[in-house]
Amino acid sequence: MALWVTILTWCFVCGLVVFACVMDLIHNRKPPNKYPFKFKFTRFINWFIIGMAYACTYFGRYNMSLLNTSDVHDMLGVSASEFGLVLTIAYIFYAVFVTVNGTFVDRMGGKRAMMIGTLGSSTMNLLMGIYVYFTNIKGKANIAILASMYSINDFFQTFCTTAICKVGVSWYHITERGLFSGLFGIIISFGFFLAFQVNGLFKTVLHYSAIFTIPSVMLGTFCVLIILFTSATPEDAGWPPVQPEEDDENSSDQKIERTALLSSQEEDPKDMGSSSQTDKIEPIPGQVTSDQTYQLSPSIQVASTENGPQEAKIVVKDYGMPFTQVLKTIFCNPVFLVLCVVDFCVGWCRDGFLNNYTNYIRTKWGVAEDSILYEVSTTGVTVGSMFGSLGAGVISDMCCGSRRPPVGFFSLIFFTGFITMIYFAPAPWVACVGLACTSFCFSSVHGIITSTCAMDFAGEKATATAVGVLDGVQKIGSSLTGVIIGKLWERWSYKGWLLSMIPAGGLGALLMIPILNKKGKGLETKDKKKKRGCGRRRRESQIEVADSNDKI
């Protein structure tokens, strides 16, 4: 393969990542809600580190798809459908635990969840790399061992999946989340570039084990960066919340604070005040404080009264809400239930495509990982995914009034069209264009449904649980692709694979029709306030007219 093609594609993809960073830094809300640059820079550092960490989870998740080729099947002594069991078992494992872990992420916060997920996934990728390097086992024993390790890897990655949305919903206002979803999607889609293109290069020039060990190192590195440089919420970083409490009509019922006294001895307030003068510090500018509380450290606070500090206490911050209220918020929302079924279809389309398109390139067009066609195809999938996320976010915010379902509807319609285009592709370049456009479409609907809709319809306190449920349902659809598409491929080759995705895309689009005009939680609350305000003004004008008539 020509070296200039590799350099050009790598520079182009990295340039898109830089573009996303610049867009986030220059974007701002309109006055009077305009952010200071210091806040925007803090937020940028926060989401960039977390976003790149999540991109590395793709680096360490979809690497297994590169083993889903005939030469590796022969090396392991398994068939395509038998290897599909590895993917199916892992997806089922992922589907179960992304739902369960979402509730825990809501309580522990996004930062801790990202630390757990990146560290655990780093460890499991290292173990898989060691196993692949040293194994001489043939047959079904490989399936059992790889499925076990890959499933545990996916278990840890479920923490990251819900954590990124938990962090995003706290740092971005509802009117910004479409753009945030797009910019964040570019960073996440960079993970596809790492998983398929970079790993494809490693697989060609190094041992198979490199596609596991190198992602392991990257995940471990970003785990350290998350610990050192990120915050779960703006309040944790010393800034006020971007979504004021009055925007959330249930926020007063969602505050939970667990405290413990540092000392049981009662002291005279004046003595305590005089002894703690050196400890008391001024609040950080812009920092949110409640009940005149000065923060001494992230976990210790001293309550202040008119007579001075009176009581020291340890605060264990709770980022969520009671479990029963979470269930009510999510499962009593009919829009969310429709989104669950749509996401099942998205799971079949998205992961059915990602796990098999490289095999399609090899089977249909007879190319290897080091060919120009492979380079162009995988780059097209990466770039298409980036622009799909960005386009969906910008269009939903600027053209649809922050409504997400219309974008998801049209994305699924176009998805089925481009799959048909790939099926009838007369030349390799037509197939490459179809692959890129298909990636554009499924990334649009995945980002807008699984992430942005979850943030909008569930609210800040239940975001991780909502994302977990939606992603869990999606991965149930994904899990079926491993074995079923494996069987279809054995019988009808790539034609069975492509035809299986058309009904799923069409069904998902039909299900979106009844909810096309539905808005997120924050926007509905504002609409209600506007209606109440209009009604109040009408009543006041009617009273004024009545008073004037009485005077006449």
Side-chain angles (χ1 to χ4, degrees):
M1 180 179 61
L3 180 62
W4 68 269
V5 176
T6 302
I7 295 174
L8 183 64
T9 54
W10 285 43
C11 289
F12 183 67
V13 171
C14 293
L16 289 176
V17 174
V18 174
F19 166 76
C21 298
V22 173
M23 283 291 293
D24 184 74
L25 283 172
I26 65 176
H27 165 73
N28 209 333
R29 295 176 68 191
K30 296 179 180 179
N33 299 313
K34 192 174 181 180
Y35 299 132
F37 180 78
K38 187 176 180 181
F39 171 81
K40 293 195 299 177
F41 184 76
T42 302
R43 183 174 69 175
F44 161 72
I45 294 296
N46 204 73
W47 78 259
F48 179 77
I49 293 175
I50 289 178
M52 290 301 294
Y54 191 68
C56 289
T57 65
Y58 279 35
F59 199 16
R61 185 195 311 173
Y62 289 103
N63 47 5
M64 187 64 73
S65 298
L66 292 183
L67 300 186
N68 191 19
T69 55
S70 57
D71 57 332
V72 179
H73 296 164
D74 295 338
M75 183 193 73
L76 298 176
V78 298
S79 65
S81 58
E82 287 174 337
F83 188 86
L85 278 174
V86 175
L87 303 176
T88 294
I89 293 170
Y91 280 136
I92 293 174
F93 215 73
Y94 187 102
V96 172
F97 284 101
V98 75
T99 305
V100 175
N101 289 342
T103 60
F104 294 107
V105 173
D106 268 329
R107 308 305 289 265
M108 73 174 67
K111 178 176 179 176
R112 294 174 190 167
M114 285 297 298
M115 290 161 50
I116 294 171
T118 51
L119 180 60
S121 183
S122 174
T123 303
M124 294 312 302
N125 269 278
L126 179 61
L127 293 177
M128 285 189 286
I130 293 172
Y131 173 77
V132 171
Y133 186 82
F134 289 103
T135 186
N136 292 316
I137 301 175
K138 297 285 186 180
K140 295 182 179 179
N142 275 317
I143 301 301
I145 296 171
L146 286 175
S148 299
M149 290 193 290
Y150 190 50
S151 296
I152 298 173
N153 176 58
D154 278 12
F155 163 76
F156 282 110
Q157 293 208 1
T158 60
F159 286 95
C160 299
T161 301
T162 52
I164 57 169
C165 295
K166 183 68 175 178
V167 173
V169 73
S170 300
W171 283 89
Y172 289 83
H173 192 268
I174 188 172
T175 57
E176 301 177 287
R177 289 176 195 160
L179 178 63
F180 158 73
S181 176
L183 297 177
F184 205 85
I186 290 179
I187 302 297
I188 293 172
S189 298
F190 185 64
F192 290 141
F193 175 78
L194 297 174
F196 294 109
Q197 213 156 341
V198 177
N199 269 338
L201 178 63
F202 292 153
K203 182 184 174 185
T204 302
V205 301
L206 301 173
H207 191 270
Y208 290 146
S209 60
I211 68 175
F212 297 102
T213 53
I214 295 176
S216 172
V217 174
M218 295 294 293
L219 285 163
T221 301
F222 276 99
C223 179
V224 175
L225 294 177
I226 288 169
I227 295 171
L228 296 177
F229 299 110
T230 65
S231 300
T233 65
E235 296 95 310
D236 291 349
W239 294 94
V242 297
Q243 188 85 18
E245 290 185 359
E246 56 266 22
D247 286 359
D248 189 351
E249 54 192 1
N250 297 321
S251 61
S252 59
D253 298 328
Q254 297 172 0
K255 294 180 181 179
I256 300 174
E257 182 182 74
R258 295 190 297 262
T259 62
L261 293 176
L262 288 176
S263 175
S264 60
Q265 291 183 340
E266 294 184 359
E267 300 184 44
D268 181 53
K270 294 182 179 179
D271 294 339
M272 187 174 177
S274 61
S275 64
S276 61
Q277 289 298 322
T278 57
D279 293 333
K280 187 170 70 174
I281 61 174
E282 293 297 323
I284 301 172
Q287 183 175 13
V288 176
T289 58
S290 59
D291 299 326
Q292 297 180 333
T293 298
Y294 291 104
Q295 184 167 326
L296 302 180
S297 71
S299 59
I300 301 177
Q301 293 181 343
V302 176
S304 177
T305 65
E306 293 179 358
N307 296 324
Q310 188 176 28
E311 182 181 87
K313 55 186 179 179
I314 297 176
V315 176
V316 180
K317 187 160 185 180
D318 194 325
Y319 296 90
M321 65 169 74
F323 183 66
T324 54
Q325 193 171 352
V326 171
L327 295 180
K328 181 180 178 182
T329 300
I330 294 175
F331 292 105
C332 292
N333 188 337
V335 175
F336 187 84
L337 298 179
V338 173
L339 294 176
C340 286
V341 184
V342 173
D343 235 1
F344 175 87
C345 299
V346 173
W348 177 279
C349 296
R350 180 174 183 258
D351 286 300
F353 176 88
L354 289 173
N355 288 326
N356 294 278
Y357 86 92
T358 55
N359 201 16
Y360 160 77
I361 299 171
R362 291 167 59 93
T363 303
K364 172 66 175 177
W365 305 107
V367 299
E369 284 88 348
D370 58 349
S371 67
I372 293 179
L373 181 61
Y374 185 91
E375 184 85 17
V376 172
S377 299
T378 53
T379 302
V381 170
T382 299
V383 174
S385 177
M386 288 179 170
F387 279 105
S389 300
L390 179 62
V394 172
I395 291 172
S396 67
D397 272 351
M398 299 184 66
C399 302
C400 302
S402 293
R403 292 181 180 88
R404 320 302 177 188
V407 177
F409 169 76
F410 285 107
S411 296
L412 287 168
I413 290 292
F414 285 115
F415 174 87
T416 57
F418 288 122
I419 288 293
T420 306
M421 173 182 172
I422 297 171
Y423 184 88
F424 292 105
W429 69 267
V430 178
C432 289
V433 173
L435 291 172
C437 293
T438 302
S439 177
F440 178 96
C441 294
F442 74 65
S443 292
S444 298
V445 70
H446 169 72
I448 215 72
I449 297 297
T450 310
S451 302
T452 316
C453 279
M455 291 189 283
D456 290 354
F457 288 100
E460 180 178 348
K461 300 290 185 179
T463 290
T465 304
V467 173
V469 172
L470 284 174
D471 208 35
V473 173
Q474 183 184 123
K475 286 303 181 286
I476 293 175
S478 302
S479 68
L480 299 178
T481 65
V483 174
I484 295 177
I485 290 183
K487 291 289 186 182
L488 294 174
W489 197 286
E490 288 177 353
R491 185 166 183 178
W492 291 295
S493 188
Y494 68 90
K495 294 182 179 180
W497 163 62
L498 290 169
L499 291 175
S500 70
M501 289 187 285
I502 294 176
L507 176 60
L510 290 175
L511 292 170
M512 295 292 289
I513 294 176
I515 62 171
L516 286 178
N517 291 322
K518 296 297 181 180
K519 297 181 179 180
K521 188 176 181 181
L523 293 175
E524 288 180 345
T525 303
K526 289 184 177 181
D527 288 348
K528 290 178 183 177
K529 289 181 179 179
K530 288 180 181 179
K531 291 180 180 179
R532 287 199 296 267
C534 293
R536 190 185 309 111
R537 287 192 293 271
R538 282 197 298 269
R539 288 193 297 271
E540 290 174 354
S541 62
Q542 290 171 358
I543 293 172
E544 291 176 358
V545 171
D547 289 343
S548 62
N549 290 336
D550 291 341
K551 291 178 181 179
I552 295 173

